[in-house]
Amino acid sequence: MAVTASSVIIPAMVFFMVFQLQYEAIHSYTPVHYIVGDEDGWDLPITGVSWTNGKKFYAGDVLEFKYDRGTDVSVVDEEAFDDCAVNDKSIEYSDGDTNLTLAFGANYFICSRPLICSAGLKMFINATAPPPSV
């Protein structure tokens, strides 16, 4: 049986079209923009635990932290989160309106002021992979 150009090209074209459609479906997730604490912002008496209840977070989603100049938000590791204290791996923000994109996996946020953090102004989010679009 002779191999013709059409017997090779057409199946290859079909394969690449199907591949492209699947790629676009998987990579077409539009990140969600959340305002942490909703209208109360990043402040007590809300806590990160209560605000995150019922929400599903994905890598790439954006958290907007709105807060007074008397406080801040720090991106920390698990140890700093547990201790309510920043360390050399922490990144602190104090501009009053901070947008942070969630990374895949564990994301830890605290107020760097130990008493405020200990009162509950800290938040852990496990961001999962974005869902495939259909």
Side-chain angles (χ1 to χ4, degrees):
M1 177 163 138
V3 177
T4 63
S6 63
S7 67
V8 173
I9 294 175
I10 292 175
M13 289 175 56
V14 170
F15 170 78
F16 286 114
M17 288 173 58
V18 169
F19 177 78
Q20 181 178 5
L21 289 173
Q22 289 178 339
Y23 178 86
E24 288 175 7
I26 291 170
H27 294 89
S28 63
Y29 172 74
T30 302
V32 176
H33 183 103
Y34 293 97
I35 297 176
V36 177
D38 301 316
E39 63 276 348
D40 295 326
W42 175 246
D43 196 10
L44 293 172
I46 71 110
T47 65
V49 174
S50 64
W51 179 77
T52 59
N53 282 342
K55 294 178 177 69
K56 181 76 174 160
F57 297 98
Y58 298 104
D61 286 349
V62 176
L63 302 181
E64 183 175 359
F65 292 83
K66 293 185 175 189
Y67 48 94
D68 294 330
R69 296 265 179 195
T71 190
D72 60 35
V73 61
S74 296
V75 179
V76 298
D77 61 13
E78 184 176 12
E79 178 184 355
F81 180 83
D82 291 341
D83 295 343
C84 272
V86 295
N87 59 29
D88 58 342
K89 300 174 196 162
S90 303
I91 303 170
E92 298 177 58
Y93 301 90
S94 59
D95 63 358
D97 191 357
T98 304
N99 288 284
L100 300 171
T101 302
L102 290 174
F104 177 79
N107 293 264
Y108 298 94
F109 308 95
I110 67 170
C111 174
S112 70
R113 292 171 169 59
L115 291 176
I116 296 173
C117 179
S118 296
L121 197 54
K122 60 195 251 179
M123 181 171 63
F124 162 74
I125 293 177
N126 184 34
T128 60
S133 300
V134 215

